[in-house]
Amino acid sequence: MMEEEELEFVEELEAVLQLTPEVQLAIEQVFPSQDPLDRADFNAVEYINTLFPTEQSLANIDEVVNKIRLKIRRLDDNIRTVVRSQTNVGQDGRQALEEAQKAIQQLFGKIKDIKDKAEKSEQMVKEITRDIKQLDHAKRHLTTSITTLNHLHMLAGGVDSLEAMTRRRQYGEVANLLQGVMNVLEHFHKYMGIPQIRQLSERVKAAQTELGQQILADFEEAFPSQGTKRPGGPSNVLRDACLVANILDPKIKQEIIKKFIKQHLSEYLVLFQENQDVAWLDKIDRRYAWVKRQLVDYEEKYGRMFPREWYMTERIAVEFCHVTRAELAKIMRARAKEIEVKLLLFAIQRTTNFEGFLAKRFSGCTLTDGTLKKLESPPPSTNPFLEDESAPEMEELAIEKGELDQPKKPKVPDNPFHGIVSKCFEPHLYVYIESQDKNLGELIDRFVADFKAQGPPKPNTDEGGAVLPSCADLFVYYKKCMVQCSQLSTGEPMIALTTIFQKYLREYAWKILSGNLPKTTTSSGGLTISSLLKEKEGSEVAKFTLEELCLICSILSTAEYCLATTQQLEEKLKEKVDVSLTERINLTGEMDTFSTVISSSIQLLVQDLDAACDPALTAMSKMQWQNVEHVGDQSPYVTSVILHIKQNVPIIRDNLASTRKYFTQFCIKFANSFIPKFITHLFKCKPISMVGAEQLLLDTHSLKMVLLDLPSIGSQVVRKAPASYTKIVVKGMTRAEMILKVVMAPHEPLVVFVDNYIKLLTDCNTETFQKILDMKGLKRSEQSNMLELLRQRLPTPPSGADGSSSLSLMAPTPEQESSRIRKLEKLIKKRL
């Protein structure tokens, strides 16, 4: 019974002493200990086993028990001390709380006392400063009143003085006084309700009106609108009057400027009336000389009379330009039939010279009519038409064989005066356009005559095919016309000039380039079979002579230059013309024309070399291949083809050195033409013996190697052929080799032969198979069975074999191939 009670007590104790993991972790952090008794998972049995691991260790049990009892006693003492100290802590805490509450009550009382004293002090200060505030307000009001009275006194006195000085025309004093009076009057805007102030304001306005009318009358008297006499020099009164006008209504200033400039230019209108000889375009220099003298005269006599910020010199020049433009437009409309190109360009030249002079002399700050606009600088361009535009040779106009020099003009975007006078010539630029049309027609005719007289260019294989000099002359003339016309107008005349350019670009392409390409003949030329088999090195079989080949290359290079330069010309024209008209400039048709010339030239070169190789291929197809007894070196027809290639290709390559991409196009087109033709003639070689097929395979491989080396054949510098060209040659010639390998393979058994054909030729079809069977010399009865077997074993339609063509072309020889084919391959490898 006692044991059960003890067990229950232990269980209850353990339940009470069971701590949470967070509390246990906190205790371990505050009181770290290595004693097993302090661990939360303490196990008495394990602890005892640790103390007495063996029976022999039980001899020390009494000593261990005594140590544990001593430790228990110490723990009891510590617990007792801690419990007692906790009882005293609670009592001390209550006492400290009571003391804190008492201290707070005392502090609150002191704060209340301080607040009461502060309110009393504030009330006392208000009572003390009440009188001081009243004195401050009084002082402020008094100061304002005194200031206002002073201003009123100044205003009243100033108005009286202003009226008196106006009557005496003392403009110098009026200028200073009027500005002061107006400044003082601004202080009385809020007092305009007071009759006296309103009266003074009205007197000031009346004085300003009187001053304006009086100054205008003085200028009218000094510079009368009628009559030609002028005072000898500026008046000090008028100079001071201008200072007053600066302060008055801006309309007074504008009226003075308008009347003075009108009076100043009245003599010009009389001297250059429409019915006067000096008014016509041939004496336009006199107009500009007159205004230059007037500007110098103005600076000497009246330069100090008007304020500098009025820009009177520039205003006179600008008004002169407006008047001149109107007068010139009127007289040119009346005498339009008398306008000639030389006269028109002379007048435009002198006018643009004068506009350039104005741009150097003045800033253009008085231009307000909105007809002239600052243009944005064009973006940098790489085309050659933009280069050296200001060079002396490009600034000379081609007028009457250089009799007139084109003046050096500032660029349009930097000249605010550009077009201020020369705009009047724009409606009459059709005369200039018609002249350029005529000149370009004569230029093209001269190019044609020169080409016929001088003949085709001399062969030059060192520096590449030369561009025809007439091409450069044409575009230089185009550039001169474009620069000249853009300085005259950037509107419709530029569109008309572009149309002229298009017309003569097409004429140049057809008359000079296409018209001089050598014509191909219908005769086959070349060699006969017998002569081909006995052909000697150096024999010439090409249709075109060396000079004709060089001519074709030169025309091709010229067309390529024209194509690139026409594109640059289009870009430059779009830069020169107004933005709204850029879409109307399109030289795509002309560029297509030059592209057509290039294609025709390349086609001629291909046809020439292709035709030169035709006799050799014909000889190949007519040889008795069933009678060939042994495999030797390459056949004579291969030597002939290689000879023609070595004769033509180096000449073409050297003459197209400056246009390398078109030489590559020539090589590609020749390969695309020659290889199918070679395969076609290959099918005509029937019947073929096994030895004959081996010889043909050797010849085919030789041609393949020559074609792969075609771009650099005969050259000291060996270059790798373009990948696009190499792919075409490898694909085409490998097909020819595969055809011959199928021919060489034994046709028994039939299934192996058909499978071999399907594996070797990716474009396998019954038509090609029929031709191969003809080459083998099989009878029709044998062929029918093989064709039927082929139709049954074709895995896919011929169109589905494209994706694996490259892999099939390079496929190795099947196991069914005969030992003779393997021996032939070894022979080819030895030769390589």
Side-chain angles (χ1 to χ4, degrees), residues 22 107 112 116 278 326 402 425 429 455 483 489 519 581 585 619 681 688 693 727 760 830:
E22 292 81 4
L107 179 62
K112 188 176 181 181
D116 293 340
V278 293
F425 299 109
L429 286 179
V483 173
S489 171
K519 302 297 186 293
L581 300 176
I585 295 180
H681 283 79
I688 303 177
K727 182 178 179 181
L760 291 177
K830 285 182 179 181

Side-chain angles (χ1 to χ4, degrees), residues 74 138 145 348 474-475 677 733 756:
R74 289 177 180 174
S145 300
I348 293 173
L474 178 66
F475 282 103
K677 186 180 293 187
M733 295 305 291
N756 189 34

Side-chain angles (χ1 to χ4, degrees), residues 270-284:
V270 174
L271 290 175
F272 294 92
Q273 286 183 1
E274 186 177 350
N275 56 359
Q276 299 293 327
D277 291 340
V278 293
W280 189 229
L281 300 181
D282 58 345
K283 296 182 176 60
I284 198 170

Side-chain angles (χ1 to χ4, degrees), residues 63-310:
E63 183 180 354
V64 173
V65 170
N66 291 332
K67 288 181 180 180
I68 291 175
R69 288 176 177 172
L70 177 62
K71 191 170 185 178
I72 291 172
R73 194 179 299 114
R74 289 177 180 174
L75 288 173
D76 291 339
D77 292 340
N78 291 338
I79 291 171
R80 192 181 301 111
T81 303
V82 171
V83 171
R84 288 176 180 173
S85 63
Q86 289 298 320
T87 58
N88 295 333
V89 167
Q91 186 177 359
D92 294 342
R94 286 191 295 272
Q95 184 178 357
L97 180 61
E98 292 174 356
E99 291 177 357
Q101 290 176 347
K102 291 179 181 179
I104 290 172
Q105 290 177 357
Q106 292 175 0
L107 179 62
F108 180 75
K110 291 180 180 180
I111 292 174
K112 188 176 181 181
D113 292 342
I114 292 173
K115 184 178 180 182
D116 293 340
K117 290 180 181 179
E119 292 177 353
K120 292 179 181 180
S121 300
E122 183 179 0
Q123 187 65 27
M124 189 181 298
V125 170
K126 287 182 178 179
E127 293 176 357
I128 294 173
T129 58
R130 184 182 297 114
D131 296 335
I132 297 176
K133 286 184 178 179
Q134 291 177 354
L135 290 175
D136 285 342
H137 288 307
K139 179 182 178 183
R140 189 179 304 113
H141 295 326
L142 182 60
T143 303
T144 304
S145 300
I146 293 172
T147 304
T148 305
L149 288 173
N150 285 335
H151 286 166
L152 182 59
H153 176 71
M154 292 169 58
L155 180 60
V159 171
D160 293 338
S161 302
L162 184 62
E163 293 173 343
M165 292 176 182
T166 300
R167 288 190 294 271
R168 293 194 297 269
R169 285 181 167 76
Q170 296 176 347
Y171 295 129
E173 292 78 0
V174 168
N176 298 325
L177 180 60
L178 179 60
Q179 187 64 54
V181 168
M182 294 177 67
N183 292 338
V184 172
L185 189 59
E186 291 179 359
H187 294 282
F188 291 93
H189 281 321
K190 57 185 176 180
Y191 303 117
M192 286 300 172
I194 302 174
Q196 291 82 0
I197 302 298
R198 186 168 59 252
Q199 183 181 4
L200 286 173
S201 176
E202 291 173 354
R203 288 176 62 189
V204 171
K205 291 180 181 178
Q208 289 178 321
T209 304
E210 183 182 356
L211 273 171
Q213 295 174 353
Q214 186 171 296
I215 290 173
L216 289 175
D218 291 343
F219 270 93
E220 180 64 25
E221 182 181 353
F223 304 100
S225 300
Q226 303 297 330
T228 58
K229 293 185 179 180
R230 295 183 186 174
S235 168
N236 292 333
V237 174
L238 296 180
R239 181 182 62 190
D240 295 338
C242 291
L243 299 178
V244 176
N246 258 343
I247 305 171
L248 297 175
D249 189 346
K251 293 181 180 179
I252 303 299
K253 169 186 171 182
Q254 294 172 4
E255 187 67 21
I256 292 172
I257 294 173
K258 181 179 178 181
K259 287 188 175 182
F260 179 82
I261 294 177
K262 182 178 180 181
Q263 196 278 340
H264 213 70
L265 296 178
S266 58
E267 180 184 350
Y268 171 71
L269 294 174
V270 174
L271 290 175
F272 294 92
Q273 286 183 1
E274 186 177 350
N275 56 359
Q276 299 293 327
D277 291 340
V278 293
W280 189 229
L281 300 181
D282 58 345
K283 296 182 176 60
I284 198 170
D285 275 344
R286 297 191 182 184
R287 293 177 181 266
Y288 304 131
W290 181 89
V291 76
K292 290 178 182 179
R293 290 196 302 269
Q294 292 302 312
L295 293 178
V296 173
D297 180 66
Y298 166 81
E299 291 288 350
E300 293 177 353
K301 293 182 179 180
Y302 308 105
R304 296 183 180 181
M305 187 174 75
F306 295 98
R308 184 180 296 274
E309 62 270 17
W310 285 21

Side-chain angles (χ1 to χ4, degrees), residues 735-794:
R735 182 173 184 269
E737 292 175 343
M738 294 300 107
I739 290 171
L740 291 173
K741 286 184 179 182
V742 174
V743 172
M744 292 167 58
H747 60 277
E748 295 290 344
L750 298 182
V751 175
V752 175
F753 179 76
V754 171
D755 289 344
N756 189 34
Y757 167 74
I758 294 174
K759 290 179 181 179
L760 291 177
L761 290 176
T762 57
D763 58 343
C764 51
N765 53 58
T766 55
E767 183 180 356
T768 304
F769 191 64
Q770 177 80 53
K771 293 178 181 179
I772 291 176
L773 296 180
D774 290 340
M775 293 174 69
K776 291 180 69 68
L778 297 178
K779 297 179 180 179
R780 290 295 176 181
S781 58
E782 296 176 329
Q783 293 183 13
S784 60
N785 295 332
M786 300 178 76
L787 287 171
E788 183 62 29
L789 182 61
L790 173 67
R791 294 188 185 98
Q792 296 175 2
R793 301 187 68 83
L794 280 177

Side-chain angles (χ1 to χ4, degrees), residues 442-557:
E442 294 174 352
L443 188 65
I444 294 295
D445 292 341
R446 180 166 61 85
F447 289 161
V448 173
D450 290 347
F451 190 92
K452 292 180 178 179
Q454 297 173 4
K458 301 300 180 184
N460 185 0
T461 58
D462 295 332
E463 301 178 359
V467 175
L468 298 178
S470 59
C471 173
D473 295 341
L474 178 66
F475 282 103
V476 167
Y477 189 81
Y478 271 11
K479 180 175 181 180
K480 290 180 180 180
C481 295
M482 180 185 62
V483 173
Q484 182 183 22
C485 188
S486 65
Q487 292 168 341
L488 305 180
S489 171
T490 56
E492 288 295 334
M494 284 292 290
I495 302 299
L497 185 66
T498 302
T499 304
I500 300 299
F501 285 174
Q502 291 175 300
K503 172 184 175 182
Y504 289 102
L505 282 173
R506 290 192 297 269
E507 286 200 13
Y508 185 84
W510 297 122
K511 291 184 178 180
I512 308 298
L513 301 182
S514 293
N516 288 303
L517 283 173
K519 302 297 186 293
T520 56
T521 58
T522 56
S523 59
S524 59
L527 303 176
T528 62
I529 298 175
S530 58
S531 63
L532 175 63
L533 297 177
K534 299 178 181 179
E535 187 175 4
K536 298 181 180 179
E537 293 185 2
S539 60
E540 298 183 2
V541 295
K543 289 184 179 180
F544 292 144
T545 63
L546 175 61
E547 290 77 11
E548 289 175 330
L549 287 176
C550 293
L551 174 60
I552 296 173
C553 294
S554 180
I555 290 176
L556 193 155
S557 300

